[in-house]
Structure formats: structure tokens, C-alpha cells
Amino acid sequence: MNTILSNIRFKAEQMTVPPSQSARNPQLICQNSINLICPNPNSWPTHTGPGPMIEFLFLISRQGKTRLTKWYGTYDTKARQRAVRDVTNLVLSRPPKMCAFIEWKDKKIVYKRYASLFFVACVGNDDNELVTLEKIHLFVEILDRYFGNVCELDIIFNFHRAYHILDELVIGGHLQDTSKKEVLKSCSTMDDMMDDEKESGG
């Protein structure tokens, strides 16, 4: 251990910048510090991106009624209608004990049933299905805390709140916040603003 510390101290002394040079180029000290910690820039960690992208997300009832749709990928009107119809048929015709992952075109459908609603997400063919399931479950947990034992009627009559919760979680198809507390705090702020507007308008 003493040998390692001595080597680091020796390298630091070698990289010490004279006062005259540091005055002319203050960035030199910062660069030398970085080189001391990680001499090879190619070995620096790189950002791998925000994770799997959700193409779209549906909430479908057992009767085949679409209760919520959110699109993150680029789909025209006809493609959206076709996707809703095809995915709904695939999910509802699926036996309960079968796997919750379905290959669809060049993508994958990941779904999970909660009470009378199917939460369905579409992701890329190479994306992680379990991560997508975790995102769905997080969305359901926040809905459950917000509404208190959420049910299908809560989504029907308060769909704008469900969309707001989803927008707090997912932006551009990528998960942005995993804190249930922060999302619920944002929803509470939105509710207070809506109440204030109603009172001022009345």
C-alpha cells in the first residue's frame, strides 16, 4: 500500500505545473488531474443511453376497449389503428398461463394484466423484456397510490390524471423518473393548481 501511495505522489510531483504556466493556462492543472486518475482517455466510461425505448403503451380492458394510448414512435393514423387492433387481438387471445412476451413484426409486445386491465408496451426486438415489465409495474404502483386501489373506472373518469402520471414517468419513450414520491408530489401540485383555477374561475 505504501508503495502505491509513493508512486502516486511521485507522479503528482512530476505533473505539478509551475505557477507561471498555471497562470497562463489554468485548464492545464485540471487536465493533469484527470490524466493522473485515468491516463488513457479510451478507458473512460461512456454513457450507454437512457435504456430501452417504448414505442407505444396501451391500457386495454378485458372487453377489448382501449382505455389509454400513448405513442412515442412515429406512426400515422392508419398504422396506429392497425396496431391497436392487432395488439389487442394478440393480447386478449393469449391464454393466461402463457408467456407475457409476444413477437410482433420486428418488435416485441410486453404486457401484464392487473385486475380488469391489460397494460401493454411495445419495445424493440433486442430490448430487455424484464426491464419493460418493471416500468409497467412502476406505472401501476403509482396509479394505485394516487387513486387508492386503482380500478378501470378511475382511468375512464380521470384519464387526464393517468396521462399526467405517465408523462412524469416516461418522456420520448424513455423512463425519466423512478421515484414514486417525486411523481406523486408533482401530481399533487397539479391538483392544487387545478383547484385554484376552479376557485378563481367560479
Side-chain angles (χ1 to χ4, degrees):
M1 184 67 179
N2 293 331
T3 304
I4 296 174
L5 292 176
S6 300
N7 291 336
I8 294 176
R9 191 177 298 111
F10 175 73
K11 291 182 180 180
E13 291 174 355
Q14 285 185 324
M15 296 171 62
T16 302
V17 181
S20 58
Q21 294 185 23
S22 62
R24 292 195 302 268
N25 190 1
Q27 293 182 348
L28 192 58
I29 297 178
C30 180
Q31 182 61 45
N32 286 338
S33 300
I34 294 175
N35 291 336
L36 178 62
I37 298 172
C38 188
N40 183 10
N42 295 327
S43 62
W44 295 355
T46 57
H47 182 59
T48 57
M53 174 181 173
I54 297 175
E55 293 285 336
F56 54 75
L57 190 143
F58 300 156
L59 267 64
I60 305 170
S61 70
R62 289 181 299 176
Q63 293 75 30
K65 301 292 184 180
T66 305
R67 301 306 185 189
L68 181 147
T69 59
K70 188 69 175 181
W71 302 90
Y72 300 104
T74 304
Y75 296 86
D76 58 27
T77 303
K78 290 184 178 180
R80 291 184 178 189
Q81 294 174 350
R82 186 166 54 251
V84 171
R85 182 179 63 251
D86 293 348
V87 171
T88 299
N89 292 335
L90 281 173
V91 172
L92 293 183
S93 62
R94 193 86 164 168
K97 294 184 178 180
M98 289 195 69
C99 177
F101 313 140
I102 308 173
E103 291 187 0
W104 179 69
K105 299 183 178 180
D106 59 340
K107 304 184 186 303
K108 281 185 293 191
I109 302 298
V110 181
Y111 71 94
K112 187 171 179 61
R113 178 180 171 182
Y114 294 88
S116 62
L117 286 175
F118 290 90
F119 288 71
V120 185
C122 175
V123 295
N125 198 38
D126 296 328
D127 289 337
N128 192 315
E129 304 93 339
L130 298 179
V131 172
T132 306
L133 276 179
E134 285 296 324
K135 293 178 182 180
I136 292 175
H137 188 67
L138 177 63
F139 181 38
V140 174
E141 282 187 323
I142 296 176
L143 287 174
D144 200 58
R145 289 194 183 186
Y146 180 80
F147 290 106
N149 195 16
V150 64
C151 64
E152 186 177 348
L153 290 177
D154 292 324
I155 304 298
I156 294 174
F157 294 108
N158 300 279
F159 62 90
H160 57 287
R161 289 186 168 90
Y163 275 111
H164 179 77
I165 292 173
L166 184 58
D167 289 340
E168 289 292 325
L169 276 177
V170 182
I171 298 177
H174 298 289
L175 185 66
Q176 298 298 315
D177 199 339
T178 59
S179 172
K180 293 186 284 287
K181 181 178 179 181
E182 290 299 320
V183 174
L184 291 170
K185 181 179 178 181
S186 173
C187 294
S188 178
T189 302
M190 180 196 69
D191 291 341
D192 293 340
M193 292 175 61
M194 292 178 64
D195 292 339
D196 292 341
E197 289 181 1
K198 289 180 181 179
E199 292 177 1
S200 61

